[in-house]
Amino acid sequence: MQVDLHAGTIRRSKLQSFLWIHIIEQKVHQYRQYVEDVESNKKGSQVDIQIKRNGETEKILSELKSLKNFGDVEVVKSDRTKRRVTHRYSTAQVKSREQSNIHKMAMNIFTKTKINIGKLISDIICLTNERVLVVEEKGKVNLLSSDGRLQKQLPISDKPFSVTQIDQDNIAITFPDRNDIKIFNMETETVTKLITLDKACIGLSFFNNSLAVGLDKDEIRIINLEGNKLKSIRVKNKSYLEYLVYCHTRVIYTDYEDKSVYCVDESGVQIWKFAKDLLGPHGLCTDTYGNVIVADWRSQRIIVISKDGQYSKVLLSEEDGLQNQKCLWHNHNEPYGFFCDSSGRYLVKFKFSNK
């Protein structure tokens, strides 16, 4: 990696140097994941990987003003004191025009499987073990294999709506009719915590040990796993806050009736609004770079919006043989994701690529 760093910064433009360093950053995440996977099979130890700045990077940092850190990689082994849950995600440390340039991005259909649930679908997520949860709106929660086979229906009643994964064993689910959020352990198939709020809990997203929940039409509340309010974001949606993504210091959400996608910070300040060519946006997710993928139900399309809200591109449309795409999910640790139609007739596994 030191050799690669040297080769990537000698006699190259600043943009080329940045892109080269970003490739090396991705290698760091891959090596970290590999080491942790190896160590997870050994008892009594855990691994931490840290990057320490050294003197050789000062010249690069002076040229690439936005770069925060880069240097040697240290692997430190220490006694394991408790089970560790790590949320991995790869993000660029420098804002670049290349990352906002989405015209080369493509969504390729990997598999399309009939699931024949035949009920209105309100949410879908892909679990860390590649299984898929499909939620019938105020109905059943279906656990599917990655190829769409029904494994079982979780014993969850009280009309669930939205679901998000907390860790390998636990999920959180909203129940609008009860103003509740339940923490559900999939291994023991029991509710381990009940959080009751003062408004209808609808859309749900988990990030950094916190939940962002859409309350009715006018508030996105960020709470901890005990239910304590951390932040309150006031909004003026025309439709209910059914779909949102909480990541870093931003919350991205759709307004179906307003035909728009919004991005706000944790204080409620609007960062951008995107409404071009949208007819009825529903489910959404983000890719590794922070670009926003939206299922625009009325136009029968899946659209990607650049992370700054300035550009868009149609990834799939009715011409690709798909209809009524409503809910979608992208796994940041893998190059694939899933979406399904509004009636639960089929499940599609997709992969991103650059043309």
Side-chain angles (χ1 to χ4, degrees):
M1 289 175 63
Q2 289 176 340
V3 172
D4 286 346
L5 176 61
H6 180 75
T9 55
I10 298 299
R11 293 187 296 276
R12 292 177 182 266
S13 68
K14 293 181 181 180
L15 178 58
Q16 289 173 324
S17 297
F18 160 72
L19 294 175
W20 193 262
I21 290 174
H22 181 57
I23 291 173
I24 296 177
E25 273 190 311
Q26 292 178 320
K27 288 184 179 181
V28 171
H29 288 284
Q30 293 172 0
Y31 296 158
R32 176 190 177 109
Q33 181 174 349
Y34 170 76
V35 173
E36 290 187 346
D37 289 343
V38 171
E39 290 299 323
S40 66
N41 295 322
K42 299 179 181 179
K43 296 182 178 179
S45 65
Q46 74 176 31
V47 170
D48 288 316
I49 297 180
Q50 298 180 351
I51 299 177
K52 296 174 64 177
R53 181 187 298 182
N54 58 32
E56 295 181 1
T57 61
E58 296 301 323
K59 182 178 179 181
I60 300 173
L61 293 174
S62 66
E63 295 178 354
L64 302 172
K65 300 296 185 182
S66 301
L67 248 181
K68 301 299 183 183
N69 291 285
F70 196 85
D72 290 336
V73 177
E74 289 186 357
V75 179
V76 181
K77 182 182 292 186
S78 59
D79 291 337
R80 183 186 293 272
T81 58
K82 62 181 180 179
R83 182 179 180 183
R84 176 177 174 177
V85 178
T86 302
H87 298 278
R88 304 186 195 93
Y89 41 86
S90 173
T91 56
Q93 294 183 0
V94 181
K95 290 183 179 180
S96 135
R97 290 179 61 89
E98 186 69 21
Q99 289 184 10
S100 294
N101 184 3
I102 57 176
H103 73 278
K104 293 184 178 180
M105 186 175 177
M107 176 184 280
N108 303 309
I109 296 177
F110 188 66
T111 59
K112 179 181 177 182
T113 308
K114 290 184 178 180
I115 53 178
N116 295 323
I117 292 177
K119 299 290 181 63
L120 189 63
I121 303 301
S122 59
D123 207 359
I124 178 175
I125 64 169
C126 175
L127 304 175
T128 53
N129 52 16
E130 294 192 27
R131 294 183 298 175
V132 181
L133 280 181
V134 178
V135 182
E136 302 171 15
E137 184 171 332
K138 298 184 178 181
K140 298 176 180 178
V141 179
N142 302 278
L143 180 62
L144 310 179
S145 61
S146 60
D147 59 2
R149 289 181 291 108
L150 177 64
Q151 293 188 338
K152 61 180 174 180
Q153 292 176 330
L154 300 182
I156 299 173
S157 57
D158 296 329
K159 301 180 179 179
F161 186 88
S162 185
V163 62
T164 189
Q165 186 170 20
I166 295 174
D167 55 39
Q168 184 172 346
D169 296 327
N170 294 282
I171 57 176
I173 310 172
T174 58
F175 297 84
D177 290 353
R178 296 170 52 93
N179 298 355
D180 286 345
I181 300 173
K182 293 180 182 180
I183 310 298
F184 183 84
N185 186 288
M186 292 184 293
E187 184 174 356
T188 61
E189 296 191 352
T190 58
V191 175
T192 59
K193 187 177 294 294
L194 175 65
I195 300 172
T196 300
L197 301 180
D198 56 336
K199 298 179 183 178
C201 307
I202 310 175
L204 192 63
S205 180
F206 177 78
F207 175 74
N208 196 26
N209 292 320
S210 300
L211 292 167
V213 54
L215 301 179
D216 211 303
K217 298 181 179 180
D218 58 3
E219 182 185 1
I220 299 172
R221 190 176 301 177
I222 299 175
I223 61 176
N224 61 22
L225 294 178
E226 299 300 319
N228 300 315
K229 182 169 67 175
L230 304 178
K231 296 181 184 295
S232 177
I233 302 171
R234 296 290 177 177
V235 298
K236 295 180 179 180
N237 249 33
K238 293 182 179 179
S239 59
Y240 288 102
L241 289 159
E242 296 180 344
Y243 300 102
L244 54 88
V245 173
Y246 177 35
C247 189
H248 300 288
T249 59
R250 296 184 173 191
V251 179
I252 304 162
Y253 60 96
T254 56
D255 189 337
Y256 178 78
E257 295 297 334
D258 193 41
K259 304 177 183 178
S260 302
V261 176
Y262 292 87
C263 177
V264 297
D265 64 19
E266 290 177 326
S267 63
V269 175
Q270 181 176 303
I271 300 173
W272 51 261
K273 172 185 176 180
F274 187 90
K276 181 181 178 181
D277 299 328
L278 293 177
L279 297 181
H282 272 291
L284 75 166
C285 63
T286 57
D287 69 1
T288 304
Y289 300 106
N291 299 312
V292 182
I293 296 85
V294 183
D296 193 45
W297 182 71
R298 279 184 179 169
S299 69
Q300 314 286 341
R301 299 180 301 175
I302 292 181
I303 299 171
V304 58
I305 304 170
S306 60
K307 64 180 296 184
D308 58 7
Q310 298 299 309
Y311 310 100
S312 69
K313 179 184 178 180
V314 176
L315 297 177
L316 292 175
S317 66
E318 192 173 6
E319 296 176 355
D320 297 293
L322 304 176
Q323 292 182 337
N324 301 322
Q325 300 93 314
K326 184 178 181 181
C327 305
L328 55 89
W329 179 269
H330 173 239
N331 189 337
H332 285 190
N333 298 324
E334 302 291 343
Y336 63 81
F338 293 88
F339 65 81
C340 68
D341 66 309
S342 60
S343 301
R345 294 173 299 170
Y346 59 80
L347 178 72
V348 173
K349 183 177 182 180
F350 65 83
K351 290 188 176 182
F352 289 124
S353 65
N354 292 319
K355 292 183 179 179

